[in-house]
Short mmCIF file of all heavy atoms in Angstrom, two decimals:
data_model
loop_
_atom_site.label_atom_id
_atom_site.label_comp_id
_atom_site.label_asym_id
_atom_site.label_seq_id
_atom_site.Cartn_x
_atom_site.Cartn_y
_atom_site.Cartn_z
N PHE A 336 12.72 4.55 -6.42
CA PHE A 336 12.61 5.97 -6.02
C PHE A 336 11.18 6.46 -6.29
O PHE A 336 10.54 7.08 -5.44
CB PHE A 336 13.63 6.77 -6.84
CG PHE A 336 13.68 8.24 -6.56
CD1 PHE A 336 14.60 8.77 -5.67
CD2 PHE A 336 12.82 9.12 -7.21
CE1 PHE A 336 14.66 10.14 -5.43
CE2 PHE A 336 12.87 10.48 -6.98
CZ PHE A 336 13.79 10.99 -6.08
N CYS A 337 10.68 6.15 -7.50
CA CYS A 337 9.32 6.58 -7.87
C CYS A 337 8.25 5.79 -7.10
O CYS A 337 7.22 6.35 -6.71
CB CYS A 337 9.10 6.39 -9.38
SG CYS A 337 10.13 7.47 -10.37
N ASP A 338 8.50 4.51 -6.91
CA ASP A 338 7.49 3.67 -6.23
C ASP A 338 7.24 4.11 -4.79
O ASP A 338 6.16 3.90 -4.23
CB ASP A 338 7.92 2.20 -6.25
CG ASP A 338 7.74 1.55 -7.62
OD1 ASP A 338 6.97 2.10 -8.44
OD2 ASP A 338 8.34 0.49 -7.86
N LEU A 339 8.26 4.70 -4.17
CA LEU A 339 8.08 5.11 -2.77
C LEU A 339 7.11 6.28 -2.64
O LEU A 339 6.42 6.41 -1.62
CB LEU A 339 9.44 5.48 -2.16
CG LEU A 339 9.39 5.79 -0.67
CD1 LEU A 339 9.01 4.56 0.14
CD2 LEU A 339 10.72 6.32 -0.19
N GLU A 340 7.05 7.13 -3.65
CA GLU A 340 6.24 8.35 -3.53
C GLU A 340 4.76 8.09 -3.22
O GLU A 340 4.21 8.69 -2.29
CB GLU A 340 6.41 9.23 -4.78
CG GLU A 340 7.73 9.97 -4.78
CD GLU A 340 7.93 10.78 -3.50
OE1 GLU A 340 7.17 11.72 -3.26
OE2 GLU A 340 8.87 10.46 -2.74
N PRO A 341 4.07 7.22 -3.97
CA PRO A 341 2.67 6.97 -3.59
C PRO A 341 2.53 6.37 -2.20
O PRO A 341 1.54 6.64 -1.50
CB PRO A 341 2.16 6.01 -4.67
CG PRO A 341 3.34 5.58 -5.46
CD PRO A 341 4.42 6.57 -5.25
N ILE A 342 3.54 5.60 -1.78
CA ILE A 342 3.45 4.98 -0.45
C ILE A 342 3.56 6.05 0.64
O ILE A 342 2.94 5.96 1.70
CB ILE A 342 4.52 3.87 -0.30
CG1 ILE A 342 4.23 2.76 -1.32
CG2 ILE A 342 4.54 3.31 1.12
CD1 ILE A 342 5.29 1.69 -1.42
N PHE A 343 4.34 7.09 0.35
CA PHE A 343 4.44 8.23 1.28
C PHE A 343 3.07 8.86 1.50
O PHE A 343 2.77 9.39 2.56
CB PHE A 343 5.41 9.25 0.67
CG PHE A 343 5.82 10.35 1.61
CD1 PHE A 343 6.77 10.13 2.60
CD2 PHE A 343 5.27 11.62 1.49
CE1 PHE A 343 7.15 11.15 3.46
CE2 PHE A 343 5.65 12.65 2.35
CZ PHE A 343 6.60 12.41 3.34
N SER A 344 2.20 8.75 0.44
CA SER A 344 0.90 9.43 0.50
C SER A 344 -0.30 8.54 0.78
O SER A 344 -1.34 9.04 1.19
CB SER A 344 0.64 10.17 -0.83
OG SER A 344 1.53 11.24 -0.97
N TYR A 345 -0.19 7.22 0.51
CA TYR A 345 -1.41 6.43 0.77
C TYR A 345 -1.41 5.81 2.16
O TYR A 345 -0.42 5.88 2.86
CB TYR A 345 -1.70 5.42 -0.34
CG TYR A 345 -0.83 4.18 -0.52
CD1 TYR A 345 -0.39 3.39 0.53
CD2 TYR A 345 -0.52 3.76 -1.81
CE1 TYR A 345 0.34 2.24 0.33
CE2 TYR A 345 0.22 2.61 -2.04
CZ TYR A 345 0.65 1.86 -0.95
OH TYR A 345 1.38 0.73 -1.16
N GLU A 346 -2.56 5.25 2.51
CA GLU A 346 -2.78 4.72 3.87
C GLU A 346 -2.56 5.84 4.89
O GLU A 346 -1.99 5.64 5.95
CB GLU A 346 -1.82 3.54 4.11
CG GLU A 346 -2.19 2.66 5.29
CD GLU A 346 -3.27 1.65 5.00
OE1 GLU A 346 -3.53 1.35 3.80
OE2 GLU A 346 -3.88 1.18 5.96
N GLY A 347 -3.02 7.04 4.53
CA GLY A 347 -2.78 8.24 5.33
C GLY A 347 -1.47 8.85 4.90
O GLY A 347 -0.43 8.19 4.89
N THR A 348 -1.50 10.13 4.50
CA THR A 348 -0.26 10.80 4.09
C THR A 348 0.67 10.92 5.31
O THR A 348 0.26 10.71 6.46
CB THR A 348 -0.55 12.22 3.57
OG1 THR A 348 -1.07 13.00 4.66
CG2 THR A 348 -1.56 12.21 2.43
N TYR A 349 1.90 11.31 5.03
CA TYR A 349 2.86 11.55 6.12
C TYR A 349 2.26 12.55 7.12
O TYR A 349 2.32 12.34 8.34
CB TYR A 349 4.18 12.09 5.55
CG TYR A 349 5.14 12.48 6.64
CD1 TYR A 349 5.94 11.53 7.26
CD2 TYR A 349 5.21 13.80 7.09
CE1 TYR A 349 6.79 11.88 8.29
CE2 TYR A 349 6.06 14.16 8.12
CZ TYR A 349 6.85 13.19 8.72
OH TYR A 349 7.68 13.53 9.76
N ASP A 350 1.64 13.60 6.59
CA ASP A 350 1.09 14.65 7.47
C ASP A 350 -0.04 14.11 8.34
O ASP A 350 -0.08 14.34 9.55
CB ASP A 350 0.53 15.81 6.63
CG ASP A 350 1.58 16.41 5.72
OD1 ASP A 350 2.73 16.55 6.16
OD2 ASP A 350 1.25 16.72 4.57
N ILE A 351 -0.96 13.42 7.69
CA ILE A 351 -2.14 12.94 8.44
C ILE A 351 -1.70 11.95 9.52
O ILE A 351 -2.16 12.01 10.67
CB ILE A 351 -3.18 12.31 7.48
CG1 ILE A 351 -3.79 13.41 6.59
CG2 ILE A 351 -4.26 11.56 8.25
CD1 ILE A 351 -4.55 14.51 7.33
N ASN A 352 -0.77 11.04 9.18
CA ASN A 352 -0.31 10.11 10.21
C ASN A 352 0.42 10.84 11.33
O ASN A 352 0.30 10.46 12.50
CB ASN A 352 0.58 9.03 9.56
CG ASN A 352 -0.25 7.93 8.95
OD1 ASN A 352 -1.08 7.32 9.63
ND2 ASN A 352 -0.08 7.68 7.66
N SER A 353 1.15 11.89 10.99
CA SER A 353 1.81 12.67 12.05
C SER A 353 0.77 13.30 12.96
O SER A 353 0.94 13.34 14.19
CB SER A 353 2.68 13.78 11.43
OG SER A 353 3.68 13.22 10.64
N LEU A 354 -0.33 13.78 12.36
CA LEU A 354 -1.37 14.42 13.16
C LEU A 354 -2.12 13.42 14.05
O LEU A 354 -2.57 13.76 15.13
CB LEU A 354 -2.36 15.17 12.26
CG LEU A 354 -1.78 16.33 11.44
CD1 LEU A 354 -2.87 17.05 10.66
CD2 LEU A 354 -1.04 17.32 12.33
#
Side-chain angles (χ1 to χ4, degrees):
F336 181 96
C337 294
D338 285 341
L339 185 65
E340 283 306 296
I342 296 172
F343 191 77
S344 292
Y345 71 43
E346 196 81 19
T348 65
Y349 174 83
D350 302 320
I351 292 298
N352 277 305
S353 298
L354 297 184

